[in-house]
Amino acid sequence: MKNKIIFGLGAFLFSFLGLIPQKTMNKASAKDEITKYVNSYVQDGLVSLYNANYNTREGHDSNTSLWENLVGTNGISLTINANNDFSNDAFHTKSTKQYFTDVEKNLVNGNTFTMEFVITDFSSANVDYNYLISSTNENFALFRKKTDDVLELKYGGLGSSFHPTVSGASTFLDSGIVSITSSVGGKVKIYVNGELKAEKNCITNNVATDLFFGNSESSKSFEAKFKTFRFYNKELTEAQVKANALVDNEHINDKVIYNNEVSLGDSNIIGGISSVRRIKTSTELDEVVALEHLPQAIIYKIDKNLNLVLED
């Protein structure tokens, strides 16, 4: 496709958005960035935090098969293949079960817990059910039902009358923040983008045999990108869920650029920069201009006259 050149815009972006020169971040700087990121969330009861931008405790590694818990010592052993890999700012999964550790399984089986995640680019694979996060014995299952496009939570192996449901699932699963809070003797709740959407009485705890995201069964599969997972050993309040969602909303469009077009040195991190966007198309340019919080750095191609070159 013939390149389109936007005259004068390259110099404008340099001056207005402030491109930061590329350099290598040392491990100490990477850990400082990660610590700052982790501390931006509610800390009380936080046991597991997985983020695709920082998929190791040293920073980002697009080739890793171990997604490390940033606030613990455990990590998710991933199945990596052409359909399941890190794509800069998210983990892309398709028709594959990716197993959490016993730490997360035991939390979900506890009397109180909170589970939160950011999901984008959801595709239903044209099946009747999409099991997002579940257990082999289906004692616990968070799934989308195609017939009425609802997100439904099965807990404790109970029947459908005990399941909280949220309509319009395909919309918010394409780009959204989902939070599940549960307290036996109280309520089990589903929040979307920080807002309480559904709740039911919680009369028993889960007895999940394991816990995984994604699904390889043809009748339950889907494709999506997950940006982050968080697990707490307590039921977050509505205010705390909203606070975490506000942090997620700031990070949801952040990009860590890591591919063959950029030299990142040995650390696989762009120095001192946790929010980087690459612009290749006019659509991506429009997205950046519309952001409430601008990235710290923009990477894009220019011609010899410093004009922005787009691929569409």
Side-chain angles (χ1 to χ4, degrees):
M1 186 177 293
K2 189 176 180 180
N3 284 340
K4 179 182 4 178
I5 299 177
I6 311 297
F7 292 98
L9 193 52
F12 168 77
L13 282 172
F14 268 113
S15 61
F16 181 68
L17 295 179
L19 182 66
I20 301 176
Q22 300 165 22
K23 60 182 180 181
T24 300
M25 179 194 291
N26 59 40
K27 290 184 177 181
S29 297
K31 289 183 177 180
D32 287 345
E33 286 292 322
I34 292 170
T35 299
K36 181 179 178 182
Y37 166 76
V38 169
N39 289 341
S40 63
Y41 290 104
V42 173
Q43 296 297 295
D44 186 22
L46 181 60
V47 176
S48 298
L49 193 163
Y50 299 96
N51 179 274
N53 272 342
Y54 306 117
N55 57 3
T56 81
R57 299 179 197 100
E58 304 295 335
H60 183 81
D61 179 0
S62 65
N63 297 313
T64 188
S65 61
L66 181 66
W67 196 351
E68 295 183 350
N69 179 4
L70 297 180
V71 295
T73 58
N74 58 310
I76 304 169
S77 294
L78 299 166
T79 298
I80 301 294
N81 52 43
N83 293 319
N84 294 268
D85 61 358
F86 284 102
S87 56
N88 294 329
D89 67 326
F91 183 78
H92 169 250
T93 187
K94 180 180 180 181
S95 304
T96 302
K97 295 178 180 179
Q98 306 286 356
Y99 288 86
F100 291 103
T101 73
D102 283 347
V103 171
E104 291 79 41
K105 181 201 72 174
N106 292 338
L107 285 171
V108 168
N109 284 341
N111 287 333
T112 60
F113 75 91
T114 296
M115 176 181 71
E116 300 185 298
F117 61 91
V118 176
I119 185 172
T120 66
D121 300 284
F122 171 81
S123 175
S124 69
N126 199 30
V127 296
D128 290 336
Y129 295 91
N130 310 118
Y131 276 60
L132 303 177
I133 301 175
S134 54
S135 60
T136 298
N137 64 350
E138 292 191 19
N139 184 269
F140 176 89
L142 180 66
F143 60 93
R144 172 185 173 265
K145 189 162 57 176
K146 179 183 176 182
T147 52
D148 42 9
D149 193 28
V150 299
L151 182 69
E152 186 166 335
L153 177 64
K154 178 181 181 179
Y155 79 94
L158 298 174
S160 59
S161 62
F162 293 92
H163 301 179
T165 61
V166 183
S167 60
S170 59
T171 299
F172 60 78
L173 291 178
D174 190 56
S175 181
I177 306 159
V178 178
S179 304
I180 307 295
T181 67
S182 179
S183 179
V184 176
K187 300 287 185 179
V188 55
K189 303 176 182 179
I190 302 177
Y191 295 80
V192 175
N193 297 328
E195 300 294 332
L196 179 61
K197 295 296 184 181
E199 61 180 318
K200 289 279 189 176
N201 290 331
C202 184
I203 63 173
T204 187
N205 61 301
N206 299 301
V207 191
T209 51
D210 50 26
L211 190 69
F212 51 85
F213 67 95
N215 207 293
S216 56
E217 298 177 43
S218 59
S219 61
K220 302 174 182 178
S221 63
F222 66 95
E223 181 175 6
K225 293 180 179 179
F226 289 93
K227 290 175 177 273
T228 187
F229 293 99
R230 289 185 301 278
F231 291 83
Y232 290 81
N233 62 10
K234 59 170 285 184
E235 177 190 18
L236 293 188
T237 66
E238 188 167 350
Q240 288 173 324
V241 170
K242 186 181 292 291
N244 276 354
L246 288 174
V247 176
D248 279 332
N249 196 48
E250 283 199 19
H251 290 287
I252 200 168
N253 287 313
D254 288 358
K255 307 287 184 183
V256 170
I257 304 302
Y258 178 51
N259 56 38
N260 293 331
E261 299 178 34
V262 180
S263 175
L264 303 179
D266 295 331
S267 67
N268 302 333
I269 297 291
I270 294 179
I273 306 172
S274 59
S275 175
V276 183
R277 293 293 298 267
R278 181 187 299 281
I279 296 174
K280 289 186 176 181
T281 68
S282 55
T283 298
E284 292 172 342
L285 173 62
D286 292 340
E287 289 175 353
V288 169
V289 172
L291 289 176
E292 181 178 355
H293 301 287
L294 293 174
Q296 291 177 279
I298 307 292
I299 297 176
Y300 56 96
K301 293 181 180 179
I302 58 175
D303 63 14
K304 63 181 180 181
N305 296 316
L306 297 183
N307 297 310
L308 178 64
V309 179
L310 300 176
E311 295 179 355
D312 55 0

